[in-house]
Amino acid sequence: MNDSNGQGVLDEAEARSTLSDEEGMAALRTLLLGPAEAQIAEVQARLADPKRQLEEVSYVLPAAIAVRSRRDDELTVALAPTVAAAVERSVRKDPQPLVDAIFPVMGPAIRKAIATALSGMVQSLNQSLIHSFSFKGLRWRLEALRTGKPFGEIVLLHTLVYRVEQGFLIHKETGLLLHQVSIAGTPKLDADMVSAMLTAIQDFVHDSFTSPQGDQLETLQVGELTVWVEQGPLAVLAGVIRGNAPQDLRAVFQETLERIHLQFGVALSEFKGDSAPFADAAPLLEDCLQSRSDAAQQPAASARKVTPFVVFVSMLLVALLVWGFFWLRDMRRWDAFVERLRSEPGIVITDAEKRGGKYWISGLRDPLARDPEMILQESKIDPTAVVSRWEPFHSLSPEFLLARAKSLLEPPNTVKLNVQDGALEAEGFALHQWVVETRRAVRLLPELGQFREEKLLDLSRIEDPLLLFELDRSELVPGQQDKLGLLVGNIERLQAQAQRLHMNVLLEISGHTDGSGTEVRNSTLSQERAQAISATLRVLLPVWSNITIRPVGSKKRLRDEVTEADRATNRSVTFKVVVTDAQ
Amino acid sequence: MIQKKICMLGTFAVGKTSLVRRFVESIYSDEYHTTVGVKIDKKVVQLDEQEVMLLLWDIQGEESVQDLRRSYLRGAAGYLLVADGTRRDTLYRTRAIQTVVQDTVALAPFLLLINKSDLTEAWSLEEREIEEMKDKGWQVIRTSAKTGVGVEEAFLTLAQKMLET
């Protein structure tokens, strides 16, 4: 009993203790997790309430978009189809809002497009003109002729750095073609079979050259063509490239393949042979169809076609060349004419230019200078195209001073004038009256200022003196010897000047008598007197031969005889210088 | 258009290539067999107003099943096992091949083609042996690449089966 009682007490105690354990745990739980439980309930309530979720997402959505857009462009890629569909639906529903929205940008966009197209046309025209007639262009034409290929293709082959001609998107597992893009003009391949064969070759290479990392075939070289293969988890991108593509292009391929996986991931994994959905991948694939030509070699691809525009420009060019030739010729003639005038004495050009299709020239001209109209006629310039204006002026150059002096002073031919150091110099012999007038005139010409007559002989020194004779005799009265001496000196000077001027000079000696005595006696006496002086001069001037004597007698008296002094004057000889001729 | 990859499998010289040539116009030469071990051809067939493009992977027949390139089987929507009616061993080889193929493409439908049906004199298979195959659930079609008997039927039947799966 005790035992059983004892057992019952024990059981009860155990039960109580178990109960109190449970209560204690509950109390402990409440104590420890009480606040957390409330929070959990709150979170559960929030998760269960779509309205609250909406509010919360809307709170972080703009910031989240901004953060993701900064990191990469996957959001853009993911949103693109949705946005496109939304725009399409909106337009279908009512196009007006979109029309209103894009209206302000339409004009500028169209203008920009036209400007770009025009600039491209001009660019290609330039290249055509540059390369059409170049040696390189001719060589390529010959090559085209030789090989029978079109010129355009030859040019392309020579200038192309690289060109991605075709792009294949291949389903990795089946090797089936999903989509294919190619640039215009490339030969059509059976893309389905190419894809399958390409996959088979990849498998073959992969199986044959097993590598631990499971490396894949990346490049195939077929003559001038290279096939780049980019592997993705579900699809393969293959590009057929002509030429040498840069490694940067790999990144473009990889990026394209990544985008395709992102956009078509589901379609790729569920692919059952229907390639229709992948037609939308065309724009992405077309991004891979890049090419680059060597700008330096850029040729005349369009040179093959002679368009009316090219003909027009060529004609324009020829017209321009012809016009340019005549323009250049006229310019040269004009320059030569102006230069000629500049070097012409007595002409100073102050202005010469071409304006409004006419030549304008103006300046100063000495009236004694050459007539510019004459020079213009010699220059072959159309005189009607030239407008000239000349102001008269006096040139101070020696030749113009001399010319002006000559026209003013009218020197006899026995005088030679020179301008030396601003002074007028006379040489030779002249009548006293001319000498006197010249002295006066030169004083009135400021530009000359000085008259130098050291080399000029005033003929009055020979023609003025009288040699007086004794009454009824042919002998000089005493005191005449000095006069004779001076006279001889002057005759010697005359002789020297005449020789320098290459002139023949004759000295005429006239014998005179007074009125006393008979006429016959006077005639004889006058002859004797002239001969006596002539004889004396011949002795004193042995080289002087041109002497004539003229017995005047008393018929033509020097003076009327009123006084004895008059009579003494008439008993004389006089001299006259006669220029006979040039030597 | 729906595209499907089909593999042609069978021992050396059972007539796989001849069957394909009977069915399509080839663009690749047979040399591919010796270089890459596979030759690819294409045929568009009309099934109930639906066009299906069949890409035929004609895989080179190997002496040993171990030499079969499994990577060529990947992604196949169906396959044709080809045996030579004049060589009994080729029929039994198809069993071994099918076991290997099933590892790679488990659910793909297939047909057994017993080729060279025109060579009745050299025929070495007994009807019983063929019935055994049918009992396993295999569909069997007798073909002759030479006369064309059963060829079109074989390809169209497989195509139909592939569309149904």
Side-chain angles (χ1 to χ4, degrees):
Chain A
M1 183 70 189
N2 269 348
D3 274 349
S4 69
N5 268 352
Q7 188 64 43
V9 168
L10 208 67
D11 285 345
E12 206 179 297
E14 214 167 49
R16 207 170 37 244
S17 122
T18 311
L19 193 74
S20 68
D21 274 1
E22 274 175 12
E23 282 173 348
M25 277 301 287
L28 194 62
R29 196 183 299 127
T30 316
L31 207 65
L32 286 173
L33 303 173
E37 269 181 344
Q39 284 171 352
I40 289 165
E42 163 77 8
V43 168
Q44 277 174 339
R46 273 165 67 179
L47 287 174
D49 186 354
K51 211 170 170 185
R52 285 186 68 176
Q53 271 186 356
L54 271 178
E55 272 175 16
E56 279 161 11
V57 171
S58 74
Y59 183 68
V60 296
L61 190 63
I65 289 174
V67 169
R68 187 63 202 245
S69 300
R70 270 201 297 277
R71 202 196 308 159
D72 56 37
D73 60 351
E74 287 201 4
L75 190 68
T76 317
V77 175
L79 280 176
T82 315
V83 172
V87 171
E88 196 185 342
R89 179 173 285 196
S90 155
V91 169
R92 204 173 292 157
K93 193 175 152 202
D94 180 10
Q96 199 54 44
L98 196 72
V99 169
D100 291 345
I102 64 169
F103 177 73
V105 298
M106 285 284 280
I110 291 169
R111 274 196 295 279
K112 195 176 171 191
I114 290 172
T116 310
L118 275 177
S119 110
M121 197 164 78
V122 169
Q123 176 89 16
S124 105
L125 181 73
N126 283 345
Q127 286 165 353
S128 300
L129 288 172
I130 289 166
H131 292 282
S132 288
F133 307 106
S134 70
F135 176 69
K136 198 189 286 166
L138 283 174
R139 211 178 56 204
W140 290 349
R141 275 188 192 283
L142 272 176
E143 191 179 333
L145 219 67
R146 194 161 41 79
T147 57
K149 289 182 183 171
F151 178 66
E153 195 179 323
I154 298 289
V155 166
L156 188 74
L157 291 174
H158 280 289
T159 59
L160 202 66
V161 174
Y162 75 89
R163 184 174 73 178
V164 184
E165 298 190 334
Q166 305 199 50
F168 298 94
L169 182 65
I170 302 167
H171 187 242
K172 184 161 179 147
E173 197 192 4
T174 60
L176 293 173
L177 181 73
L178 298 174
H179 197 71
Q180 182 223 4
V181 290
S182 59
I183 59 164
T186 46
K188 282 280 166 215
L189 295 173
D190 194 323
D192 303 300
M193 292 175 69
V194 169
S195 303
M197 203 70 214
L198 200 58
T199 309
I201 290 168
Q202 281 182 77
D203 291 340
F204 171 75
V205 170
H206 181 245
D207 291 353
S208 307
F209 308 96
T210 351
S211 68
Q213 284 79 34
D215 289 344
Q216 295 284 346
L217 181 70
E218 287 185 339
T219 308
L220 276 112
Q221 191 77 42
V222 193
E224 292 172 330
L225 296 176
T226 308
V227 182
W228 276 9
V229 183
E230 206 55 53
Q231 304 277 348
L234 300 172
V236 174
L237 178 63
V240 181
I241 302 161
R242 189 180 291 278
N244 296 313
Q247 281 302 311
D248 306 354
L249 195 63
R250 279 268 179 207
V252 176
F253 276 39
Q254 280 161 5
E255 205 177 304
T256 304
L257 195 59
E258 281 162 14
R259 286 185 175 190
I260 287 170
H261 274 82
L262 190 72
Q263 200 172 329
F264 300 94
V266 177
L268 282 170
S269 54
E270 292 176 357
F271 180 67
K272 286 275 182 289
D274 182 9
S275 58
F278 299 97
D280 291 344
L284 289 169
L285 288 173
E286 275 157 9
D287 286 349
C288 298
L289 298 181
Q290 298 186 357
S291 69
R292 194 171 69 215
S293 293
D294 188 345
Q297 297 235 357
Q298 192 61 44
S302 57
R304 205 152 45 92
K305 284 188 227 150
V306 180
T307 62
F309 185 65
V310 170
V311 170
F312 171 72
V313 171
S314 304
M315 282 167 67
L316 208 68
L317 207 72
V318 169
L320 206 70
L321 277 171
V322 171
W323 178 83
F325 167 76
F326 284 110
W327 180 82
L328 205 68
R329 196 192 64 178
D330 287 354
M331 278 311 281
R332 286 191 165 198
R333 281 180 176 174
W334 172 251
D335 286 348
F337 169 65
V338 172
E339 207 43 53
R340 174 94 191 274
L341 283 181
R342 262 188 227 288
S343 62
E344 190 66 33
I347 290 179
V348 178
I349 293 169
T350 54
D351 199 17
E353 62 173 334
K354 194 173 182 195
R355 170 159 43 88
K358 288 214 167 208
Y359 298 106
W360 299 77
I361 189 156
S362 54
L364 308 171
R365 174 178 172 248
D366 192 297
L368 295 172
R370 275 197 69 189
D371 187 354
E373 292 297 322
M374 297 289 290
I375 298 171
L376 181 63
Q377 275 177 19
E378 290 164 17
S379 74
K380 294 181 186 166
I381 296 173
D382 176 14
T384 59
V386 180
V387 181
S388 31
R389 210 176 52 125
W390 300 105
E391 288 290 329
F393 88 117
H394 278 174
S395 169
L396 294 183
S397 68
E399 54 203 295
F400 278 86
L401 286 175
L402 183 64
R404 221 162 23 250
K406 277 181 180 169
S407 73
L408 184 74
L409 302 172
E410 294 177 335
N413 56 4
T414 59
V415 174
K416 196 176 158 198
L417 290 177
N418 280 313
V419 172
Q420 200 112 42
D421 305 327
L424 184 68
E425 191 183 61
E427 201 178 331
F429 50 91
L431 293 172
H432 179 64
Q433 191 192 351
W434 184 84
V435 176
V436 173
E437 282 174 2
T438 298
R439 278 184 200 134
R440 197 185 307 132
V442 169
R443 270 201 300 276
L444 297 174
L445 288 173
E447 67 258 36
L448 284 170
Q450 204 189 348
F451 181 51
R452 287 202 197 130
E453 46 182 306
E454 292 88 3
K455 293 176 185 169
L456 180 70
L457 178 67
D458 186 344
L459 285 178
S460 64
R461 288 167 185 265
I462 294 173
E463 293 182 343
D464 278 6
L466 302 171
L467 288 177
L468 303 179
F469 285 81
E470 296 280 359
L471 179 67
D472 197 25
R473 286 175 63 183
S474 55
E475 283 162 20
L476 292 170
V477 297
Q480 294 298 298
Q481 290 300 328
D482 290 349
K483 270 204 242 175
L484 184 63
L486 279 173
L487 190 68
V488 167
N490 285 327
I491 291 169
E492 277 181 324
R493 279 183 66 197
L494 173 67
Q495 187 184 17
Q497 294 290 3
Q499 264 180 2
R500 200 172 295 157
L501 293 171
H502 310 293
M503 288 185 144
N504 281 334
V505 179
L506 177 70
L507 186 66
E508 190 181 276
I509 305 172
S510 301
H512 304 275
T513 62
D514 60 14
S516 62
T518 65
E519 205 170 298
V520 177
R521 172 61 193 153
N522 282 345
S523 177
T524 310
L525 187 60
S526 68
Q527 179 142 17
E528 282 172 3
R529 283 173 177 168
Q531 271 175 341
I533 293 305
S534 171
T536 307
L537 287 179
R538 280 186 203 283
V539 173
L540 292 172
L541 298 163
V543 290
W544 186 269
S545 55
N546 298 334
I547 297 174
T548 60
I549 51 173
R550 192 168 149 242
V552 180
S554 58
K555 283 181 277 181
K556 229 173 135 190
R557 292 173 192 168
L558 294 170
R559 282 192 197 177
D560 290 337
E561 292 176 350
V562 180
T563 62
E564 180 52 30
D566 295 331
R567 277 193 287 274
T569 299
N570 284 342
R571 292 191 293 268
S572 62
V573 293
T574 58
F575 301 91
K576 188 166 169 56
V577 175
V578 180
V579 177
T580 53
D581 63 333
Q583 268 180 1
Chain B
M1 192 193 298
I2 299 289
Q3 303 175 73
K4 295 289 180 189
K5 172 178 173 178
I6 295 177
C7 290
M8 301 287 293
L9 295 155
T11 319
F12 176 70
V14 293
K16 300 183 296 294
T17 306
S18 304
L19 285 170
V20 172
R21 202 180 293 130
R22 186 85 211 179
F23 189 55
V24 303
E25 291 285 332
S26 286
I27 64 160
Y28 294 116
S29 82
D30 295 349
E31 281 170 29
Y32 282 89
H33 279 137
T34 45
T35 50
V36 192
V38 66
K39 184 165 101 66
I40 288 153
D41 288 291
K42 183 176 87 169
K43 175 80 176 179
V44 176
V45 294
Q46 188 80 29
L47 283 175
D48 307 333
E49 291 176 13
Q50 186 177 18
E51 281 193 327
V52 181
M53 184 194 289
L54 302 177
L55 270 300
L56 306 174
W57 289 50
D58 177 6
I59 296 165
Q60 189 190 3
E62 301 288 349
E63 279 300 313
S64 161
V65 173
Q66 277 73 41
D67 293 337
L68 185 67
R69 283 187 193 278
R70 291 166 196 224
S71 52
Y72 290 162
L73 305 172
R74 207 181 54 232
Y79 54 98
L80 295 170
L81 294 166
V82 185
D84 180 350
T86 64
R87 283 154 59 205
R88 173 176 283 121
D89 63 308
T90 60
L91 181 68
Y92 294 99
R93 287 278 182 87
T94 56
R95 288 182 182 176
I97 293 170
Q98 201 271 334
T99 321
V100 171
V101 177
Q102 203 153 24
D103 286 347
T104 314
V105 280
L107 301 172
F110 69 95
L111 300 178
L112 172 63
L113 308 187
I114 300 178
N115 197 28
K116 307 192 186 175
S117 63
D118 53 297
L119 300 174
T120 43
E121 283 174 16
W123 200 257
S124 63
L125 286 180
E126 289 175 25
E127 200 58 34
R128 180 180 51 81
E129 289 168 311
I130 297 168
E131 287 304 318
E132 271 176 26
M133 293 299 201
K134 284 183 178 169
D135 292 344
K136 284 175 65 174
W138 290 23
Q139 188 171 346
V140 182
I141 296 177
R142 288 173 200 237
T143 58
S144 167
K146 194 173 177 184
T147 62
V149 168
V151 177
E152 186 108 5
E153 183 200 347
F155 284 104
L156 290 175
T157 307
L158 183 65
Q160 190 65 53
K161 274 177 171 264
M162 288 188 298
L163 284 183
E164 284 162 8
T165 45

